[in-house]
Structure formats: C-alpha cells, structure tokens
Amino acid sequence: MDGTSETRSMIVDGVREGLMNDWKILQHVFKLVQRDETLCADPQQWKEQKIIDFMQPEELKQHIDLTIKEKESSTLLDLEQICQQVIRYSVKTSHGRFHNQLFGQLDPFGLAGAWITEALNTSSYTFEVAPVFSLIETELISTVCRLAGYSQGDGIMSPGGSTANMYGLVLARYKRLPHVKSTGMFGLRPLVIFTSEDAHYSLKKAAHWLGIGADNCIAVRTNARGQMSLADLEDKIKAAQARGHDPLFINATAGTTVLGAFDDIAGIADIAERHGLWLHVDACLGGAALLAYKHRSLLAGLQRADSFAWNPHKTLGVPLQCSLFLTRESNLLAHCNSIEVNYLFQQDKFYDITYDTGNKSVQCGRKIDAFKFWLMLKARGYGNYGHLVDHAIEMSRLLEQKLLSRADRFRLVLEQHEYSNVCFWYIPKSMRVQNASEETPEWWSRLYKVAPKVKEQMAYSGTLMIGYSPLTSRQLGNFFRMVLTCFPVLEAGELDVILDEIERLGELCQL
Amino acid sequence: MDGTSETRSMIVDGVREGLMNDWKILQHVFKLVQRDETLCADPQQWKEQKIIDFMQPEELKQHIDLTIKEKESSTLLDLEQICQQVIRYSVKTSHGRFHNQLFGQLDPFGLAGAWITEALNTSSYTFEVAPVFSLIETELISTVCRLAGYSQGDGIMSPGGSTANMYGLVLARYKRLPHVKSTGMFGLRPLVIFTSEDAHYSLKKAAHWLGIGADNCIAVRTNARGQMSLADLEDKIKAAQARGHDPLFINATAGTTVLGAFDDIAGIADIAERHGLWLHVDACLGGAALLAYKHRSLLAGLQRADSFAWNPHKTLGVPLQCSLFLTRESNLLAHCNSIEVNYLFQQDKFYDITYDTGNKSVQCGRKIDAFKFWLMLKARGYGNYGHLVDHAIEMSRLLEQKLLSRADRFRLVLEQHEYSNVCFWYIPKSMRVQNASEETPEWWSRLYKVAPKVKEQMAYSGTLMIGYSPLTSRQLGNFFRMVLTCFPVLEAGELDVILDEIERLGELCQL
C-alpha cells in the first residue's frame, strides 16, 4: 500500500463513510453472545456443553488465522465468523463446571455493567470525564470502609490484587519514611516485610519491584490449618531487628491461594502494634466474607489493619478486573501518590477538585472498574451476596463430606478448610490399598502424578475444569484445588456429578 | 436481614432460579447502547446532541441514587432505568466533538472485541484458561516488535502506560543490577534516571514507587519545539556521575503530553550508548506513528531503544485499557519478573508451558487487552490505521492554519506542532489589541484565565470538550490543548465549526 495523499484520502474517506455501517458489528456480537454455547450459563445444558474444545497451541494456530496484515478486507460477516471461532476455542468460564479459578461464572448484572463501561469508554482520573463513575467509585469505597469498620478511610480501585497489595506496601513505606518518595531507599537499612509461607506470590513481586528485594520478604511458617504462626512471626521480626534490619510491614492473608486459610488478623494486629509495623491484609481471595452473615468472623480484626486488598472479581462473579485497595488512613493515599500534574489536575477548575480521584493513583488513565460491581449491588443488595458467599462455603463443607464418604477414592489435604477452597487427591483404582502401611513414599510420589494426568483428560473431554497445585511449604505434591464461588449457585447433587466425573476421567488416564 | 439457614436457602434458591431471567439484562443494555444518544457517534447528529449534561457533584448526587444497601429489590426495568440515568449524565467520549483526551471516539470493532472479552471473562496468565487470547497477545507483540525493528524482542500488555513505563525501569535496573531483585537497593549509590521536563508524570511516580525517589528522576531541558536537549542531557548525566550517583536510564518521549513533541531518539541513543544507559521510549501518546506512512519518521531510531511503551487506546480508538510494553531483549522480562509459582505455572503441564505469559508479568490476574485491538487490525489491517494517523496529523496542521487565519482571536503556543496535539489561546473580544506592545505581562495573566472560563461554558453547553493546561517548564499559563485522533475521522469543515463554537462560548464568559 502506498502512502500518497490520493491513496490516503481514498482510504480515509472510505473509513469515514463506512463507520455507521461498522457499528452494526455490535448486533453480530450480541447475537453470538446470546447463543447458548457462548456463555454456557444454563444448568440444563451443562451436560451437553463443552467447557473447552481443547487444542494444543500449534494445532490451534491452524484453526484460527492469527496473522496481522497491512491490508485486510473483512466484511462484517467475516468478522462475525472470526469472533465465533475465537469464542469456540476459548474457555467457557461461565460454564457451571469451571471450578479452576475463583472467577467462575459471571453475574449477569456485572457483565451488563462492564458492557456499558466499555461503550462509554472513559478514564476514572477526573470528575470532568467521569462524573457519574467518580461518584460511584467514591460511594463503593466508603461502603466497603464502613463494612470493614474503618470510621474514616480511603481507597482506590486497582488493576488486580497484586497492584492492590503493592499500594499497601508503598503506603506503609511512605508513612514510616516519607522522604523515600523524593530521595529513594539508597543508604537505608534494609526494610523487611513479613508474610506467611503460603501467601500469594505478589508480595515477593512487590518487594522486587519496589526495590526492597524478594529476600527481604520473609516467609513466616504456617500451622496445620495454613495460618501464619504468631510465634514464628514474632521470632522473625526480632531476628531481623537483631541483624540490624528495619521491619516495616506485615501482610496477613485472608484466604491463602491454595488452602484458603485465614490468618488470625487480631493476633497479628497485636504483634504489629507491639513492634510498630504496618498491618496489611491480603483479602483478595477472602474479602467476600465481609458480606457473609455466618462466616464474617473469618475477618475478625480487619478493622485494626492499616490497609487491605479485596478482589470482588473473585468469588462474587464481578467480571475481571475489579480490585479494591482500602486504607484506614484518610489522607495518606493522595499525599503518598500525588505528583503535581497541571494538564490533568488543574487547581482552577469550575468544580470541587476533591472529586478528582486520580491524585491517589499510581496510574494515569484508569479503567472504570467500580460501575459493574455497583450495578450488581444495586440489583441484589449486598445482603444477597453475603448469603451466596455463606452458601458457597457451606457447599465446600458438604464437598468435604462427600470426599470423606468416598475415602477409598479421594483423600483430603486438610480435614477441614476454612473457606470455599477444597484440596484433595484422587486415588485411581490401580493405587487403592488396603492399609496405610502400603502408602509408602513411592506410593505418594505416584499419587502426585495423578492430578496432572486427570487434568489432561479434563481438557480433552471438556466436561470439567479444576486446578491442581503442589504445596511446597509442606512438601506436598500435586492435588486438586477446587474453588466454589457464588456463581454458579450450586446444588448438592452437582457435587456428586463432579466427583463421579473425576473418577470416570481418572480411569481413562495412563498412569 | 437475618443470617439463619432458612433465610439463606430461600434467598439462594431465589437467586439460582432467577438467574436465567437475569441474563435478559443484556437485552436491555444492548437496547440502551443502540440509542443514538448513548454513543453519539453519528456526525449527522452532533449538532443536536450534548456531549455532556453537566451537573456539579452535589447536584448530580440528587439525580442518581448512589447509595448501596443491604437489601434491594430492583426489577430488570428498574436497572435499565438506572443504567439510562448513568449513561445520560456520563461524558459521551464517542461524540465527535470530544477532543479532551486521546481516547476520543471508539472504533466499533474495538468495542465489539471488548464486549466479547468481557463476556468470556478470563485472565491472560496461562494458555490453559486463555488459549486463543494467549496466542493473540503473542502475535500482537511480535507484530509490533517487527514494526518497531526489533528482530527478536518480547513484550507484555499492561494496565496503562504508567505501568508500561515502570516495566521499562524495572527491566533496566534488573539488567544492570540483577541482585536488586533479591536483596533490594539498600546501600547502593543512588540510581538516576533522566527524562525531559515536558515528559509524563508517570516517570516521577515510577521513581517514587520503585524506591529510586522522585528527586533522582532528573528533568532535562527542552528546546523550543519541546524536545529534550541533548546537550543538557549529557551535562546532567555527567553531573550525576560527578556527584557519585549512578546514571541508569534515559526516558525519551515520543509525543509529550501537552505539546506532542517527539524527542530525537537516535541522538539520545548515541548518548545512552556512550554512557551505558538503558534507553526507554515513552511512546504512549505517539506510538501510533509506527503505523503511519508519512509521519513514521517521528519515531526514527526507535529500533535502537532497549524498550518502549505504547498505548493503542490513545489515538487509534481502541477502548481503554490497551497498553503495550515492548523490549528488544528476548528473555529478560521473564527472568526479571518470574517468581516460582506452583499453583499457576506448573512445570508438569500437558502443553508447552512457554505459551503461559504470566511469568513475564508483575500482575497475577490480567485482563485480556489484546483481543479488541487484534480484532480491529483484522477488520481494517494496520495500513488503514496508518492512513488515519496521517490524516489526523494533517488535520492538526490544517487547524494550525485556521488558527493563524483568525490571528486576532487565537494565538498558537508553537508555530508548528509535530503530532496531532494543537495548543492555542483564545483571545476574547475585550482583550484584542492593536499592537504587540499592549500585550503586557498583565494582559497575559488575564489571558491565562480565559481557557478555564471557556471550559466551564463548554461543560454547561455540552457542545464541545477540549482540555486546557499550563506549561510550567516555559512559565506559560493555561491554553487549550486540542488533540485529534483517528476517530472521529474529521473533515476540514468541522475545524471551523469548532473554532466558531469556541468564539461563541468565549463571548458568554464573565472575564
């Protein structure tokens, strides 16, 4: 294609004149999304529908033409077909048998909100370009502060829980050593942060990015249930002090990634107070317990934390990304993160500039993540989600019972989990033994290889998706980690279907 | 609401049974988006449609019930009405007279892609949950690497340009001082980074977050056109060395925020090589020139940069967020950012794990930002966007001509801008003078107050939105910064409509 001005005006005019017609693509997309096999949200059809039509990467490349060319002449129908192919080979996370991660099945109201946000396409940095959405984010943050027991408090939405945890660490550092903002950390004694050995890896990544160093993110031992050991925490704080380092920050985990364990926040708060450390709670996974009636006590002591992170896109069915960072300190976020920015945050605006939220953020342009969650809350009230969270946790307890009742075929990792994660091994026929003495180290080694094999069968059959993981802190090899969420709203019978299917797939494996 | 198990099962059953009906909300939303007044994308109707129905924050709160309650009993129709109110009071960034930021008007194919991504709701960390999207992100990154002249190269999509610039700085630090990843920056000589005084504030924020310190982000002077002074850059590198600091990183800006100036990348690359510094290019604003036929030379030398950031959500009409970070080094991203993560990135998977992109990322869950852009490229080919970029720049030059032809009423900040930003003052009738000697410092002070006043009129009339800004590096007060983008695809006559409207609104102001 040449770049002459004749070519250009021909092409530019063509695009301009075609634009109103191009908008019809939304009708095509809407038609595709309405098809039962796109979202797979109807329980009546789960049995027939595949969660995934799995292909190996190289094979998949043969089925969808991924190449990006200088010239294209696709019609709307061509594009509809491309979209149909993309949907066909994508994972149907809304299929009720997707239990691989905590973003299983969308709430319809969440998707509706996301579509509107995308259509209105704006950024949440100023009231000027996002008047309604700025107020909605502020309302959402103050509601969550209230639920958490923060009488004042502030917050910001961030692009994922890893960034939300980073906000906590940056705030803690700024509070203790405000000059770091201008002069950096050079010449300081090493700052040290503490988190449990079962905590999320984002804390280590944060230590790396923020210049603190992953080695200065100290792993504290966990107890049998997966909670941070208070004794070991205090020992490690003292050890850091003894070697001349500077303890700064404790991260408590409210819902560990694998076991779903909740640290004793109140107990940790005592230690944080005693040593003058910032207490952050990574409640990305378990923050939904804030809304629960029966299981709210999992978060007891949260009101004493200096900050916490919560991903409503986990558990509640809000579309990814929806992550909240909250802090008990009312003005610290803006002080910490603002840099004089004349082109965006002018002081001579014709409205009250405290409604501009961008000064609190480390981002500039920022997606509108609040609206979809707010619309869900408008639709159902937060009480309904609380009941759904309680239900998901109770179904997890029921799943444990069902696993125990098939004790020859399944083995639980923990006798009882605290949240909606359930971790277990599947024992294939060929490995079932009569007494415990036959469960030798070799037997366990073999068992650790089962989950990846069953997972492969899951992918190829497309009937079920459950993640697996080892737990290195306990030298445990691969087991399934099934996570129940608010959506799908499971009935008891479905749990048997799941276990039956694991057994069926398990017998197809070459072990 | 009580938390008894009877209440719970009643409510949970109600949500489950209502779910298929709740999905009908998408029809309501689709209907709303189809309304002409939602997107305001049809040029025939711009004259009648308001970009914004502006209200002061407190007033707006009276019009939309923002409160979030424990109990709600909204019907689908209620929710449709809420959404309609939200849309009504939001800014119509797709209205062709929104020129406030670079995310004016969506490309329909971009929105179509975004809707599909939202519906399929997954994360881009593993091939397992995002098979098609992982391949698409990889294809997009390798295409952009090719266009940039990176023979090998790697990249990742990030939630905005600020984060993309941070990736560059973290990578530079890791390359020079890999041990910082584990031990932190304590005890090091201060690391210093250089960027022009007109560069984006994200560099300062990055220095703050990463522990380098905003003061160690040195502002280099700019020349008359807004480009970084090579002489001053080299002086400041030497000065940093002389005071025992450790120069690490130069950020060149390809499209400054206010003036749209492009630094001399090749000239800066010479300096970076001479002193062994990492060269990053913040092409968030101007990266679209990569596709241009006529204006591609703005980015001459980009192939010599170690990394660059580009936001296709600026200029091209991709929905926010769509940010690319690219680096010339092929394996550095994963080395720098990976942390052993057993539950997600298992080594014993049944597919080639090099297709899992999450190890390169600082995030864990990560929105699918690649697909919407890829779909646009499939629809139009990248060549068409190149012509649209050239067209937008040429229309900006034409706007300058039109401003010059109204020299009594308008004054350009630069005689000629390089990209599609055009910066200018409006001179109201009462301030028009016969000769230059009357343009005293007091006259200029008064002139700096005009843009905010006109902006207020814009908001209340809803007919036009153009941003304004001062430029502190030149001691210049508020002027309009109008940014032309690929969409709307403007015709020459529209520029006169815009200037006429500024004149009309200008005369309504109390100065």
Side-chain angles (χ1 to χ4, degrees):
Chain A
M1 214 183 295
D2 69 86
T4 62
S5 57
E6 292 74 38
T7 312
R8 180 162 57 255
S9 51
M10 202 188 70
I11 287 173
V12 166
D13 290 345
V15 172
R16 183 196 298 110
E17 286 152 21
L19 212 49
M20 289 314 293
N21 187 57
D22 292 343
W23 280 108
K24 292 191 188 141
I25 189 71
L26 290 185
Q27 292 164 19
H28 294 257
V29 165
F30 186 63
K31 196 175 84 182
L32 288 176
V33 175
Q34 294 288 299
R35 290 159 56 115
D36 288 337
E37 57 268 45
T38 299
L39 296 174
C40 301
D42 183 357
Q44 303 301 324
Q45 300 189 48
W46 292 348
K47 203 167 180 294
E48 284 74 40
Q49 289 169 334
K50 283 177 121 179
I51 304 173
I52 175 167
D53 193 350
F54 184 80
M55 281 189 190
Q56 292 290 346
E58 292 304 323
E59 199 186 348
L60 186 51
K61 286 182 193 171
Q62 307 305 316
H63 280 75
I64 301 180
D65 175 18
L66 296 170
T67 54
I68 296 168
K69 304 187 192 73
E70 187 178 354
K71 291 190 198 189
E72 289 281 0
S73 53
S74 310
T75 64
L76 293 185
L77 262 177
D78 294 338
L79 290 169
E80 181 182 324
Q81 273 168 16
I82 290 171
C83 292
Q84 200 173 323
Q85 289 292 90
V86 167
I87 291 170
R88 173 167 178 195
Y89 294 110
S90 289
V91 176
K92 310 304 179 294
T93 67
S94 277
H95 190 300
R97 287 177 184 152
F98 176 89
H99 301 284
N100 213 60
Q101 267 101 353
L102 288 98
F103 51 84
Q105 210 172 69
L106 285 172
D107 187 322
F109 303 115
L111 181 56
W115 275 15
I116 289 174
T117 305
E118 295 294 330
L120 293 177
N121 193 46
T122 191
S123 165
S124 47
Y125 40 46
T126 63
F127 179 82
E128 188 176 313
V129 293
V132 186
F133 299 129
S134 296
L135 298 182
I136 282 175
E137 182 178 17
T138 305
E139 180 69 22
L140 186 61
I141 284 166
S142 75
T143 302
V144 178
C145 281
R146 188 162 39 80
L147 287 167
Y150 286 179
S151 58
Q152 301 191 310
D154 196 2
I156 187 114
M157 303 211 63
S158 85
S162 297
T163 309
N165 285 336
M166 241 192 249
Y167 267 103
L169 191 44
V170 170
L171 225 55
R173 187 178 63 184
Y174 179 74
K175 172 88 173 179
R176 169 84 68 86
L177 302 157
H179 64 84
V180 166
K181 180 175 177 178
S182 43
T183 58
M185 297 194 304
F186 312 103
L188 294 180
R189 285 186 299 152
L191 294 167
V192 183
I193 72 177
F194 303 88
T195 190
S196 95
E197 58 189 356
D198 289 352
H200 191 257
Y201 70 92
S202 57
L203 278 302
K204 262 198 164 32
K205 285 206 178 179
H208 153 42
W209 267 49
L210 304 180
I212 290 168
D215 290 354
N216 292 316
C217 175
I218 307 289
V220 177
R221 279 205 299 273
T222 51
N223 66 19
R225 295 164 68 188
Q227 301 168 302
M228 181 148 70
S229 152
L230 301 192
D232 193 48
L233 170 62
E234 195 139 26
D235 286 351
K236 282 181 169 149
I237 292 171
K238 288 177 183 162
Q241 285 164 336
R243 64 178 182 268
H245 289 183
D246 188 5
L248 172 72
F249 174 96
I250 305 171
N251 175 68
T253 307
T256 60
T257 311
V258 177
L259 298 176
F262 279 65
D263 287 344
D264 171 4
I265 301 173
I268 296 170
D270 290 338
I271 296 175
E273 276 172 25
R274 204 146 58 227
H275 296 276
L277 273 65
W278 182 282
L279 173 57
H280 174 79
V281 179
D282 174 1
C284 286
L285 193 149
L290 257 186
L291 308 179
Y293 293 88
K294 197 172 163 195
H295 294 89
R296 203 178 189 291
S297 58
L298 286 167
L299 292 168
L302 182 66
Q303 75 285 356
R304 295 176 61 194
D306 297 288
S307 60
F308 70 100
W310 172 28
N311 286 359
H313 67 231
K314 294 192 168 82
T315 309
L316 293 189
V318 192
L320 249 163
Q321 60 193 40
C322 187
S323 288
L324 286 155
F325 171 76
L326 288 309
T327 172
R328 204 173 47 181
E329 301 251 354
S330 55
N331 293 310
L332 201 60
L333 257 179
H335 281 153
C336 174
N337 290 325
S338 65
I339 297 272
E340 199 194 348
V341 184
N342 292 313
Y343 79 95
L344 210 50
F345 307 123
Q346 303 95 338
Q347 302 300 301
D348 47 9
K349 285 185 175 172
F350 58 95
Y351 60 84
D352 177 356
I353 56 171
T354 61
Y355 287 95
D356 290 350
T357 57
N359 264 328
K360 298 192 285 188
S361 168
V362 70
Q363 302 183 266
C364 178
R366 194 158 59 87
K367 260 193 93 68
I368 308 293
D369 294 326
F371 176 65
K372 53 195 171 187
F373 187 27
W374 179 85
L375 189 63
M376 285 169 54
L377 295 168
K378 275 286 179 196
R380 303 188 193 281
Y382 61 77
N384 274 9
Y385 291 98
H387 286 295
L388 289 171
V389 171
D390 280 335
H391 175 71
I393 297 174
E394 299 212 341
M395 291 298 280
S396 308
R397 297 298 77 76
L398 183 59
L399 177 60
E400 286 165 354
Q401 292 309 311
K402 288 183 184 285
L403 286 161
L404 283 173
S405 75
R406 303 186 190 207
D408 56 327
R409 288 155 282 170
F410 292 94
R411 185 73 52 90
L412 280 165
V413 174
L414 292 185
E415 214 163 289
Q416 192 179 316
H417 303 76
E418 291 176 272
Y419 197 58
S420 66
N421 304 25
V422 180
C423 297
F424 60 90
W425 288 278
Y426 169 67
I427 308 168
K429 258 186 203 150
S430 61
M431 288 189 68
R432 288 173 204 155
V433 293
Q434 292 304 316
N435 57 65
S437 68
E438 294 176 70
E439 297 178 5
T440 60
E442 290 71 32
W443 184 88
W444 279 100
S445 291
R446 278 180 61 207
L447 191 65
Y448 297 160
K449 297 197 170 73
V450 173
K453 294 281 184 192
V454 178
K455 181 72 190 241
E456 183 174 359
Q457 293 296 329
M458 285 181 183
Y460 282 109
S461 77
T463 51
L464 188 62
M465 266 182 91
I466 301 179
Y468 69 89
S469 175
L471 192 61
T472 41
S473 65
R474 307 188 178 202
Q475 281 99 46
L476 294 178
N478 291 315
F479 48 80
F480 285 110
R481 179 196 73 151
M482 177 160 160
V483 192
L484 301 193
T485 56
C486 292
F487 301 100
V489 188
L490 286 190
E491 291 178 288
E494 175 66 16
L495 300 175
D496 293 305
V497 173
I498 291 166
L499 297 183
D500 290 346
E501 181 63 9
I502 294 175
E503 292 192 30
R504 186 184 75 83
L505 295 170
E507 296 317 313
L508 299 177
C509 298
Q510 302 290 326
L511 294 163
Chain B
M1 213 181 295
D2 69 87
T4 63
S5 57
E6 292 74 38
T7 312
R8 179 161 61 255
S9 51
M10 202 186 70
I11 288 173
V12 166
D13 290 345
V15 172
R16 185 197 298 110
E17 285 152 21
L19 213 48
M20 289 314 293
N21 187 57
D22 292 342
W23 280 108
K24 291 189 188 142
I25 189 72
L26 292 185
Q27 292 164 19
H28 294 256
V29 165
F30 186 64
K31 196 176 82 184
L32 288 176
V33 175
Q34 294 289 299
R35 290 159 56 114
D36 288 337
E37 58 267 45
T38 301
L39 296 174
C40 302
D42 182 357
Q44 303 300 324
Q45 300 189 48
W46 292 348
K47 203 165 180 299
E48 283 74 41
Q49 290 169 335
K50 284 177 120 179
I51 304 174
I52 176 166
D53 193 350
F54 184 80
M55 281 188 190
Q56 292 290 346
E58 293 304 323
E59 198 187 348
L60 186 50
K61 286 182 193 171
Q62 306 305 316
H63 280 75
I64 300 180
D65 175 18
L66 296 169
T67 55
I68 296 169
K69 304 187 192 74
E70 186 179 355
K71 290 191 197 189
E72 290 280 1
S73 53
S74 311
T75 64
L76 293 186
L77 263 176
D78 295 337
L79 290 169
E80 182 182 323
Q81 273 167 17
I82 291 172
C83 292
Q84 202 174 323
Q85 289 292 88
V86 168
I87 291 170
R88 173 167 178 195
Y89 294 110
S90 290
V91 175
K92 311 302 181 292
T93 66
S94 276
H95 190 300
R97 285 173 187 157
F98 176 90
H99 301 285
N100 213 60
Q101 268 101 353
L102 289 96
F103 50 85
Q105 210 171 70
L106 284 172
D107 187 321
F109 302 116
L111 180 56
W115 275 16
I116 289 174
T117 305
E118 295 295 329
L120 293 176
N121 193 46
T122 192
S123 166
S124 46
Y125 40 45
T126 63
F127 179 83
E128 189 175 313
V129 294
V132 186
F133 299 129
S134 297
L135 298 182
I136 282 174
E137 183 178 17
T138 305
E139 181 69 24
L140 186 61
I141 284 166
S142 76
T143 302
V144 178
C145 281
R146 188 161 40 79
L147 288 167
Y150 286 179
S151 58
Q152 299 192 308
D154 197 3
I156 188 112
M157 303 210 64
S158 86
S162 297
T163 310
N165 285 336
M166 241 191 249
Y167 267 103
L169 191 45
V170 170
L171 225 55
R173 186 177 64 183
Y174 179 74
K175 173 90 172 178
R176 169 87 67 85
L177 302 157
H179 63 85
V180 166
K181 179 176 178 178
S182 43
T183 58
M185 297 195 304
F186 313 103
L188 294 180
R189 285 186 299 152
L191 294 168
V192 183
I193 71 178
F194 303 87
T195 190
S196 94
E197 58 190 356
D198 289 351
H200 191 257
Y201 70 92
S202 58
L203 277 303
K204 262 196 166 29
K205 285 205 178 181
H208 154 42
W209 268 50
L210 304 180
I212 290 168
D215 290 353
N216 292 315
C217 175
I218 307 288
V220 177
R221 279 205 299 273
T222 50
N223 65 19
R225 296 164 67 188
Q227 301 169 303
M228 181 149 69
S229 152
L230 300 191
D232 193 49
L233 170 62
E234 195 140 26
D235 286 351
K236 282 182 169 148
I237 293 171
K238 286 176 185 162
Q241 285 165 337
R243 64 176 182 269
H245 290 182
D246 189 3
L248 172 71
F249 174 96
I250 305 171
N251 175 69
T253 307
T256 59
T257 310
V258 177
L259 298 176
F262 280 64
D263 286 344
D264 171 5
I265 301 174
I268 296 170
D270 290 339
I271 296 175
E273 275 172 24
R274 204 146 57 227
H275 296 277
L277 274 63
W278 182 281
L279 173 57
H280 174 78
V281 179
D282 174 1
C284 285
L285 193 150
L290 257 185
L291 308 179
Y293 292 89
K294 196 172 164 198
H295 294 90
R296 203 178 189 291
S297 58
L298 286 167
L299 292 168
L302 182 66
Q303 75 286 355
R304 293 176 61 195
D306 297 288
S307 59
F308 71 99
W310 172 28
N311 286 0
H313 67 232
K314 294 192 168 81
T315 310
L316 292 189
V318 191
L320 249 163
Q321 59 192 38
C322 187
S323 289
L324 285 156
F325 171 76
L326 288 309
T327 172
R328 202 173 49 180
E329 301 251 352
S330 56
N331 292 311
L332 200 60
L333 257 178
H335 281 152
C336 174
N337 290 323
S338 66
I339 296 274
E340 200 194 346
V341 184
N342 292 313
Y343 79 95
L344 211 51
F345 308 122
Q346 303 94 338
Q347 302 303 300
D348 46 11
K349 284 185 177 173
F350 58 94
Y351 60 84
D352 178 355
I353 55 170
T354 60
Y355 287 95
D356 290 349
T357 56
N359 264 328
K360 298 192 285 187
S361 168
V362 71
Q363 302 183 266
C364 178
R366 194 157 58 88
K367 261 192 92 68
I368 308 294
D369 295 325
F371 176 65
K372 53 195 173 189
F373 187 27
W374 179 86
L375 189 64
M376 285 168 55
L377 295 167
K378 275 287 177 194
R380 304 190 193 280
Y382 61 79
N384 274 9
Y385 291 98
H387 286 294
L388 289 171
V389 172
D390 280 334
H391 175 71
I393 297 173
E394 299 211 340
M395 291 297 281
S396 308
R397 296 299 76 77
L398 182 60
L399 176 60
E400 286 164 355
Q401 293 309 312
K402 288 183 183 286
L403 286 161
L404 283 174
S405 75
R406 303 186 189 208
D408 56 328
R409 288 156 281 171
F410 293 94
R411 185 74 52 89
L412 280 165
V413 174
L414 292 186
E415 213 164 290
Q416 191 179 315
H417 302 76
E418 290 176 274
Y419 198 57
S420 66
N421 304 26
V422 180
C423 297
F424 59 90
W425 289 277
Y426 169 67
I427 308 168
K429 259 187 203 148
S430 60
M431 289 189 66
R432 288 173 205 157
V433 293
Q434 292 305 317
N435 57 62
S437 67
E438 296 176 68
E439 297 180 3
T440 61
E442 291 70 32
W443 183 88
W444 278 99
S445 288
R446 278 179 61 207
L447 192 65
Y448 296 160
K449 295 195 171 74
V450 173
K453 295 280 184 194
V454 178
K455 181 72 192 239
E456 183 174 359
Q457 294 295 331
M458 285 181 184
Y460 282 110
S461 77
T463 50
L464 188 62
M465 267 184 90
I466 301 179
Y468 69 89
S469 175
L471 192 59
T472 40
S473 65
R474 306 187 178 202
Q475 280 99 46
L476 294 177
N478 291 315
F479 47 81
F480 285 111
R481 179 196 73 150
M482 176 158 162
V483 191
L484 301 192
T485 55
C486 292
F487 302 99
V489 188
L490 286 189
E491 291 178 286
E494 175 65 17
L495 300 176
D496 293 304
V497 173
I498 290 167
L499 297 183
D500 291 346
E501 181 63 9
I502 294 176
E503 291 192 32
R504 186 185 74 82
L505 294 170
E507 295 317 313
L508 299 178
C509 297
Q510 303 290 327
L511 293 165

